[in-house]
Amino acid sequence: MKDLKHLYYFEQLLEEADNELIREAQEAGRKCVGAICYQTPEVLMDLDDVFTVRLRAPRSGSLEMSTYYMTSFLCEYSRAILERAIEGGYNFLDAMIVPDGCTMVNRCVENMELLNTLNKEGVFYKYLEVPMKADENGLNLYVSECRTKILGALKEHFGADVSDEALKRAVERYNKVCRLITEIGNYRKEDNPRITGYEFHIICMATYVAPKDLLIDKLEETLEELKTREPDENPKYRARVVVAGSEIDDVDLIKLVEDSGALVVADRFCFGSLPGRVEIPLNDNEDILTQICRHFLYMNQCPRHMNLEKVHGRKEYIADIAKEYKADGVIFEQMKFCDPWAYEHVTGAFDLREKYGYPVLTIDRPYAVGTSGQLRTRVQAFVESVEIKKLQGGEK
Amino acid sequence: MGKAVGSEKLGNLYSGGKVRKRREWRGLKDTLYDYWRWLKIMKMLAGFLMHPHNLKGMFRYRWMLNYIAVPAMIDKHTVGLRGNHLKIAHEEYDLVAKDVAQLLNTAFKADKYCGNDQELSKRIVVLDENEMFTIMCGFPNLKSISWETAAVYVAVLLHGDAVTHYLDVLQEMGVPGDVCPMPAAEAGVVIDGDMPVFGACAIQCNTTCDGSLMGNGIMARAYEREGIPVFQIAAPLRHLEEGVQEYAAQEIRNAIRFIEENTGHKWDWDNYFTCMKRFNEETQHRVSWMEMSRTDFPQVIGANLALYSETTYMAIAGRVQDFLEADRRISKLAKESFERKEILVPEYRHRAIIWGVQSQYYTDFLPWLQNCWGILPLVDMLSLVYFDKVSEDDKEQAIYDIAKLYQEMIMRNRTHGGYEVLLDDLWRFCEYYNADMVILWEHISCKALDGMHGLFEERAREHGIKLIWVNHDLMDPRVIGRQAIRDDVNRYMRSVMQEEPIDPSLEILDDENAW
């Protein structure tokens, strides 16, 4: 296929945590809030004069300092973020607003705070209590926490406009980006998709790490470009897969999977579009903050949500997208030492195989896979097994 | 070898096998007392096995085999003790053993694979291992049982290798070996088909960590398969904050309603407040023992404080009068010894706070610490829980009290709640208890503790506190054995402190095969 015009631009944005769009927005007087998880609703931190970025540590090398502070038993994402923070890589941040989410990420941010890694004057940290069940009691808590620790804090520290009107504008902007990403992503449903999983991953990830409004023109152009893009007549892939699991902000992982003969047609992971780029529906009958929180609470697919509806719902969600995106199999990935996904990838794999009939590969991986030969071999073997099943006309 | 504290070289008792060479000689009076207590435990075990459903349970469940080590478990925690200290230990451990026997008796009677008493089963609510039982104080006609406690927690206390098989089972399913072994073992029990099946419903809670939370998912699926409805209490993590308390209280209200709907029993306020009166008095007793540890003559310390407190605070929660009576006797004995300035070991060299999560396969490490090196384990993280008095008559406040207790369950109150409760509080306790040393359990799979590793070291240096890291893997002695645990201390004491042990026979022990 012909290269996408802006793909290189999006790739460049992902080369540094402190990318050019962040600098541009800050030069315009906007404040930047660091986030680390889906559970602090992005839209509440993407206000008129405030924007949020989800932290990554691109091109991570040695993790020695963070390993001293947190040992080698914590996941490499949390260690890479702390390492980068100690190195001064997030000094552009004006605040950190994070959930008391998984233990490791929580400890990572606490270390960042205690070690005074962010050097801007007036920088502050907020930790949200986020509900671990989706129900009305949890929603009340979520609304209260978001009201005080996000909106209240942004108003207090930055004088941000957090009125309902401002929130509505924020939702409109957020939904616009989500619509664009969804429409781009929908091309992955085609029998011979005109976009690869890698390309989509890069584009989608860019929307997490830069002020979204500054990306809209490039996203629109990319969507227009895709409308007439001709896919290769003979596609290279031999199996369509859903990748589901823990945090992936590594530009190489999806590439490695696709270089091994698969096509990633759906992305159910942190930094992915499902459900990270699903539009927020609004009505006029309910307080807007409650509606936003309800969306993020009920759409949440984090394995730390503990009620049985969620436990089963997460697997059903993956089965649904596998069907919708015509996947032949599912790859569950777990970042090494991630406790929630250590369990979830096992029960998920079991259910996807036994209940929904999909072939499943489970992998654990480091933060940055590079060109791991071991992983490549595993994916190649999985693709072959899926391919053989298809040739033999057996079950999925 | 005799009546005096420290008169026996305790390392000489180890045989290299499951049991020790002989019983410790503590002088005539104490030896006879100890032996009489041992006989009572043996009698209790025999009585337990007289029930056919218990005998069936003994052969049905792999983890039950560990229970033949009950007398050995008590022996290893009473090692070196004399006089009142020996009596205090027996008051504690013997009562806990009796309580666990009752738990197992009820469980096997109701279990569909053993006694299959369905009427009894309908009166049982299943709880998590690491969960406050306070919520059952309002249901006097229901029984509450945690099979996880019996199958995993107590089993490893009795026999260090008790759950390695279940860990292997889970790892064969694909769960990596770096997750916390406790919930992993519990999940392994379920997958291996070794979960006793009973109960009208189950109440789970997001207890200590992500591993525990995720293990609960496997348990919940098993309950669902067996037709046991399950409710999850999602207690807030940032438990110090006022803003989360209403949410927490509503979780408790919802849980109570769930139990009422699934058992047909109504919440009984009178019984609840009766239990809370006991609970408050138990707290007072425990605090009074810990206050003694601020002085030069601590009386109830180490494992004797930790294990008994865990049971009383969390699993008993004021429901059983026997525990309150034992508390009163312990307080009386401790007070006597305090006034007589009695000592636990011949020499007190260091006063230590025990922080982090203890090794479940080596809980008698704390007696070893005091007997070998004269390091007094004054108080431990797991005993430093919620000491505020709970309401004994206000129904509205009571719900908030239960919610607070759920948030501040043992271990959870430190692994959750932010760095303030894990990191900052430690130095406050060092000052309060006049400690010069911290023994910091580094449970390698405990990410909450691991995540503060570097800052613990930095803060210890700033406060001038000697910090000894003691590595372990909670329930898997294959990863880090008991001698390796001891060596962490031995190395530090010799190389940094330049000290010789009080009892050199204990420095290196042949106990890898011991119960």
Side-chain angles (χ1 to χ4, degrees), chain B residues 234-289:
Chain B
L237 306 183
R238 304 198 76 79
H239 51 80
L240 297 180
E241 297 182 7
E242 274 306 302
V244 304
Q245 300 307 324
E246 177 50 41
Y247 164 78
Q250 189 56 42
E251 284 294 285
I252 298 300
R253 291 186 198 104
N254 293 346
I256 290 172
R257 190 165 60 245
F258 176 84
I259 296 171
E260 288 180 337
E261 285 169 1
N262 284 283
T263 62
H265 287 247
K266 287 287 165 200
W267 178 263
D268 179 339
W269 280 111
D270 290 339
N271 197 74
Y272 171 79
F273 287 128
T274 302
C275 293
M276 287 307 101
K277 284 185 180 118
R278 284 193 207 110
F279 185 77
N280 281 334
E281 190 182 333
E282 284 166 353
T283 302
Q284 280 173 9
H285 285 293
R286 204 163 55 250
V287 169
S288 74
W289 309 337

Side-chain angles (χ1 to χ4, degrees), chain B residues 125-139 144-146 148-149 202-208 212 216 231 233 235 252 255-256 259 267 272 275-276 278-280 282-283 286 308-319 382-388 390 398-413:
Chain B
V125 177
V126 182
L127 269 75
D128 281 354
E129 176 273 323
N130 219 341
E131 184 174 356
M132 291 298 292
F133 276 53
T134 323
I135 202 160
M136 297 310 297
C137 293
F139 294 104
S144 45
I145 292 180
S146 160
E148 297 166 358
T149 302
I203 301 287
Q204 295 185 317
C205 183
N206 54 340
T207 56
T208 49
S212 172
N216 271 355
F231 181 89
I233 295 175
I252 298 300
I256 290 172
I259 296 171
W267 178 263
Y272 171 79
C275 293
M276 287 307 101
R278 284 193 207 110
F279 185 77
N280 281 334
E282 284 166 353
T283 302
R286 204 163 55 250
Y308 184 67
S309 295
E310 281 183 41
T311 310
T312 317
Y313 179 76
M314 204 149 66
I316 301 303
R319 293 177 303 131
L382 306 189
S383 301
L384 289 160
V385 284
Y386 187 66
F387 293 139
D388 287 6
V390 295
I399 297 295
Y400 287 87
D401 288 342
I402 301 171
K404 192 69 179 163
L405 289 167
Y406 259 77
Q407 293 170 77
E408 303 227 5
M409 285 182 275
I410 283 175
M411 193 158 37
R412 185 190 202 279
N413 69 327

Side-chain angles (χ1 to χ4, degrees), chain A residues 179-212:
Chain A
R179 254 194 315 277
L180 287 165
I181 291 292
T182 303
E183 284 179 39
I184 293 170
N186 280 344
Y187 286 115
R188 296 174 299 172
K189 294 177 188 171
E190 293 177 333
D191 288 338
N192 184 9
R194 66 187 75 184
I195 185 167
T196 67
Y198 168 75
E199 289 167 334
F200 180 78
H201 181 49
I202 296 296
I203 295 167
C204 181
M205 200 154 55
T207 66
Y208 284 97
V209 300
K212 291 176 192 54

Side-chain angles (χ1 to χ4, degrees), chain B residues 62-202:
Chain B
R62 171 190 281 258
W63 47 263
M64 267 306 288
L65 193 64
N66 302 297
Y67 279 80
I68 59 176
V70 171
M73 186 278 284
I74 297 174
D75 284 348
K76 67 189 179 186
H77 287 95
T78 54
V79 65
L81 298 179
R82 302 284 189 273
N84 280 3
H85 300 133
L86 180 65
K87 287 179 184 166
I88 288 170
H90 273 297
E91 286 285 354
E92 294 177 341
Y93 292 111
D94 295 12
L95 183 55
V96 172
K98 184 181 157 195
D99 186 67
V100 173
Q102 286 170 350
L103 178 158
L104 285 168
N105 183 41
T106 310
F108 289 144
K109 195 173 177 196
D111 178 17
K112 83 171 185 185
Y113 298 119
C114 295
N116 198 24
D117 184 337
Q118 286 303 304
E119 284 309 306
L120 174 61
S121 181
K122 285 177 194 163
R123 289 193 294 113
I124 294 176
V125 177
V126 182
L127 269 75
D128 281 354
E129 176 273 323
N130 219 341
E131 184 174 356
M132 291 298 292
F133 276 53
T134 323
I135 202 160
M136 297 310 297
C137 293
F139 294 104
N141 298 317
L142 293 177
K143 292 183 179 296
S144 45
I145 292 180
S146 160
W147 64 263
E148 297 166 358
T149 302
V152 174
Y153 180 88
V154 176
V156 182
L157 193 63
L158 301 171
H159 179 203
D161 292 322
V163 296
T164 50
H165 166 74
Y166 298 116
L167 294 172
D168 291 345
V169 167
L170 192 74
Q171 287 174 27
E172 281 168 19
M173 288 288 290
V175 174
D178 58 75
V179 299
C180 176
M182 188 164 79
E186 290 163 0
V189 170
V190 170
I191 290 165
D192 210 29
D194 264 2
M195 177 183 88
V197 178
F198 53 79
C201 60

